[in-house]
Amino acid sequence: MRATSPERPGGESPRRSTAAEARAAFAHWVNEVPEGLPFGQIVVRALPGNGGYELRHVADVGIPDGDLVAHNEPRAAREIAKLTEEGEYRPLKSSPNLKRGWVLRVKDDRALYVAMNYLYPSGVAHWHLYRNGELEITNYRENAARQSGIYKRVQRLSDEGVQNTAKACCEDAVCLKKTLWDVDENTPLAADRGEGEIPCPEPCSIFVSLARRVRLFERENKRDLDAIGLSPSEKEDLSALVEAAATGSVKFAREAEFEEPLNERRMRYRKLTLVPKLRPVEDTAPEEG
Amino acid sequence: MKALIIVGHGSHLNEDSSLPVYEHAALVRDRYAGEFDEVVECFWKEEPSMRHVLDMVEAEEVCVVPAFISEGYFTQQVIPRELGLDGPVTHRDGRTIRYAGPLGTFEGMPDVILERVDDLLKGKEMRPGRTALVLLGHGTDLNKNSGGVVYLNAERIRERGVYDLVEVGFLDQDPPIAEVVEGVEAENVVLIPVFIAEGWHTRETIPEDLRLTGEVTERADKTIFYGAPVGTHPSVADLIISRARETKEREAQLARDVS
């Protein structure tokens, strides 16, 4: 449940700011471990003596300062988190594609909180609520029920579609959050929920966007299968993949460009649903040798 | 403590959409330091989501300003739903959350449009003759408010009498922008998109449809000046603050209505 102020009879209760508690708890958590703690793809470390904090990519631990670009303004974290190493836009900050090569030093826990909220938006607040057993979880069906406009159709996505979308969209290979929600209260999520520190309490907008695309695939599956059971979009994706591979390098679509065949999450979904059609179980005997 | 939350649409595909929200937030922190303890951005399609932004805000007094042009689907349906708002004022969990109106309908918007025009025309040569201002809206047949806000601003600017003509054209409803620009009887046509952010339309579809060559396009009978979207102008930060301050008055008005 969402944290609320306890009711006190006979008057206004003082408001409890869970965000302020989260800020303090996170700083305390970091202060306790001098060598620093990992959070997503970063390591946060308390700087001895001055109350400040240092953040860097987990893969840059031990790299001399001179080899990193140094920042000291907490809002620099937004620029750090915006693009991948290759310059691609990052619509999902918990994707495992945070760039390396920087170090950010901030003066206190408030500045740390600002920086963290650009690197992992609302991550610290949810981490804190989850540790206290107070994080409100919204299951898929509940989330879908409030969608409108072009997303309303996700209400009709099958349970199997939700499960496959979660495997394609939420596992650690593509998102470092720990997935806490289920399809509904009686249908647990089958996807690997992940090992990370950052809880995911509800399907995000990237998920809903992929779910919409998968729902369109489902509709097509019922109506338009050919003699060997392939749908038009499956054939389109296969053609695009063959054509791209034939050039010697597959150029992937942008991270959340689910309308394009060569999108990684769309391909992960195809791996779950198309590959079994193309390579039925009896054909996959282990190779000899 | 007081917090200002600026809500943007955001994008899954590019960084242009959220950029003005971040820039206006930075200007607000700078120009109005002390008025808000926290200035936080949130989005429909980016993080932090509207759904979770209140989890990360410490203040008990919160003002929400939508960085949207018109009153419509997002400001009336999506934003209140995702933020859990009951109306102009919401009391929840010991917090007061005030919800401001969109930017496009605000009385200060015509000033920002005219500042945008000044920026565009600075140092550029005009033809002798008439000058028309053409406001370009997205528009949609699904919601009359989308186009209505563009007509509203055109009328407010027309009343000031600074241009020979003030016209309106749209991408997704009548009159189509290409017809308006071709048909307008003026030697100089100043075209300003009434959009929040740069994006596919302002960078690609509009220049293509109108065969624009950049900020200045010379035609046989006219020169077309094409401005950046009004929503990226630094003065929009002041508009956001005005909208935020106004919510207090809205609350007082509501209280009077009730009593």
Side-chain angles (χ1 to χ4, degrees):
Chain A
M1 285 300 292
R2 195 177 289 270
T4 54
S5 308
E7 289 295 322
R8 283 198 315 192
E12 285 285 303
S13 57
R15 186 176 171 274
R16 182 188 148 207
S17 170
T18 52
E21 288 174 10
R23 167 169 56 79
F26 186 71
H28 181 74
W29 184 62
V30 173
N31 291 342
E32 292 294 288
V33 183
E35 64 271 27
L37 283 164
F39 196 86
Q41 274 184 294
I42 63 167
V43 168
V44 189
R45 186 169 73 92
L47 294 170
N50 69 357
Y53 295 89
E54 182 200 272
L55 303 87
R56 63 172 71 202
H57 194 289
V58 70
D60 288 339
V61 171
I63 300 235
D65 273 17
D67 295 340
L68 301 171
V69 179
H71 303 271
N72 52 24
E73 161 57 40
R75 294 187 197 280
R78 182 172 78 79
E79 284 297 319
I80 291 168
K82 191 163 77 178
L83 305 176
T84 66
E85 204 83 65
E86 294 75 34
E88 293 280 328
Y89 171 63
R90 297 177 71 233
L92 184 66
K93 302 305 181 218
S94 47
S95 271
N97 57 8
L98 181 69
K99 72 176 179 186
R100 294 179 53 187
W102 52 272
V103 58
L104 173 60
R105 294 198 182 86
V106 295
K107 64 177 183 184
D108 57 19
D109 67 326
R110 281 187 189 276
L112 175 64
Y113 189 63
V114 168
M116 290 302 297
N117 275 328
Y118 284 116
L119 289 161
Y120 295 105
S122 59
V124 170
H126 289 165
W127 165 88
H128 173 69
L129 290 170
Y130 181 53
R131 289 205 332 167
N132 283 0
E134 295 181 311
L135 183 62
E136 186 183 20
I137 308 297
T138 305
N139 288 330
Y140 176 80
R141 292 291 167 209
E142 224 179 307
N143 173 289
R146 64 165 213 272
Q147 299 299 329
S148 58
I150 63 167
Y151 297 109
K152 199 171 170 60
R153 67 172 72 242
V154 303
Q155 292 166 3
R156 290 200 294 276
L157 184 63
S158 69
D159 282 3
E160 188 189 3
V162 180
Q163 299 286 18
N164 285 328
T165 305
K167 287 176 187 170
C169 196
C170 306
E171 293 189 344
D172 278 352
V174 282
C175 178
L176 296 174
K177 284 189 181 177
K178 183 197 284 288
T179 317
L180 299 177
W181 46 271
D182 293 305
V183 181
D184 59 42
E185 58 185 17
N186 301 314
T187 317
L189 210 60
D192 186 340
R193 292 177 188 272
E195 296 303 318
E197 302 76 19
I198 313 168
C200 172
E202 174 168 7
C204 67
S205 82
I206 298 276
F207 184 92
V208 173
S209 178
L210 182 60
R212 174 178 179 272
R213 191 16 61 207
V214 170
R215 175 59 197 154
L216 293 168
F217 292 153
E218 281 187 344
R219 284 175 52 110
E220 169 190 67
N221 275 334
K222 291 190 185 118
R223 293 188 308 220
D224 310 313
L225 300 192
D226 71 3
I228 57 166
L230 297 184
S231 70
S233 73
E234 285 174 333
K235 288 188 280 193
E236 185 195 328
D237 284 12
L238 280 172
S239 304
L241 192 57
V242 169
E243 281 170 355
T247 67
S249 71
V250 177
K251 171 95 173 71
F252 279 94
R254 288 174 284 185
E255 182 168 1
E257 202 169 20
F258 303 129
E259 302 309 301
E260 290 293 320
L262 302 185
N263 172 277
E264 185 181 354
R265 285 177 176 79
R266 178 162 162 157
M267 280 287 146
R268 286 173 60 88
Y269 174 78
R270 293 303 194 201
K271 187 178 167 191
L272 294 164
T273 55
L274 171 58
V275 170
K277 283 197 220 176
L278 299 171
R279 194 189 286 152
V281 177
E282 56 270 27
D283 292 350
T284 54
E287 282 181 30
E288 285 181 24
Chain B
M1 281 180 77
K2 286 166 76 174
L4 172 66
I5 296 178
I6 307 175
V7 185
H9 187 283
S11 165
H12 286 166
L13 300 181
N14 66 68
E15 62 191 86
D16 292 338
S17 174
S18 55
L19 185 64
V21 172
Y22 287 116
E23 288 181 341
H24 299 323
L27 286 171
V28 166
R29 285 183 202 109
D30 194 35
R31 289 180 189 165
Y32 302 93
E35 184 153 351
F36 293 97
D37 303 286
E38 298 165 276
V39 179
V40 179
E41 311 89 349
C42 77
F43 303 93
W44 170 230
K45 291 208 148 187
E46 293 179 32
E47 302 164 286
S49 65
M50 290 183 242
R51 179 79 172 151
H52 293 131
V53 69
L54 287 167
D55 293 341
M56 52 190 260
V57 168
E58 297 185 18
E60 60 279 358
E61 255 190 82
V62 179
C63 183
V64 177
V65 178
F68 283 76
I69 292 290
S70 66
E71 195 78 82
Y73 175 60
F74 280 100
T75 59
Q76 291 173 333
Q77 198 174 332
V78 176
I79 296 173
R81 180 188 77 206
E82 295 294 301
L83 280 162
L85 306 181
D86 305 327
V89 183
T90 303
H91 297 285
R92 198 178 67 216
D93 298 348
R95 240 181 196 154
T96 302
I97 308 165
R98 297 187 180 87
Y99 182 40
L103 302 180
T105 51
F106 189 59
E107 59 193 20
M109 190 50 131
D111 293 313
V112 182
I113 295 172
L114 293 175
E115 281 181 60
R116 182 49 99 204
V117 174
D118 287 344
D119 293 350
L120 172 64
L121 298 181
K122 197 176 289 170
K124 297 195 175 71
E125 204 162 317
M126 312 279 288
R127 293 191 193 201
R130 285 159 299 182
T131 296
L133 173 64
V134 178
L135 299 185
L136 165 57
H138 188 287
T140 166
D141 290 333
L142 300 175
N143 188 324
K144 67 177 178 5
N145 290 331
S146 173
V149 70
V150 183
Y151 282 105
L152 174 73
N153 280 284
E155 187 52 40
R156 285 175 174 171
I157 293 173
R158 218 173 268 137
E159 283 167 5
R160 302 185 186 200
V162 285
Y163 292 96
D164 299 301
L165 289 162
V166 182
E167 301 291 342
V168 165
F170 295 99
L171 301 182
D172 251 14
Q173 71 180 57
D174 285 334
I177 187 63
E179 278 179 26
V180 173
V181 168
E182 296 306 326
V184 68
E185 292 184 3
E187 286 70 26
N188 302 287
V189 177
V190 182
L191 182 61
I192 301 291
V194 186
F195 284 56
I196 285 291
E198 290 280 11
W200 183 56
H201 286 308
T202 60
R203 290 225 172 90
E204 292 178 42
T205 67
I206 297 164
E208 268 171 37
D209 289 354
L210 301 178
R211 295 176 289 112
L212 303 179
T213 54
E215 274 194 343
V216 181
T217 304
E218 296 288 351
R219 294 271 172 81
D221 59 336
K222 59 180 63 128
T223 304
I224 303 169
F225 301 88
Y226 179 48
V230 66
T232 62
H233 196 282
S235 293
V236 170
D238 307 321
L239 221 58
I240 288 170
I241 282 292
S242 301
R243 272 301 201 202
R245 288 176 180 162
E246 188 193 50
T247 56
K248 280 266 192 187
E249 291 155 29
R250 277 170 80 157
E251 188 184 19
Q253 180 67 43
L254 281 174
R256 278 197 297 276
D257 291 350
V258 169
S259 61

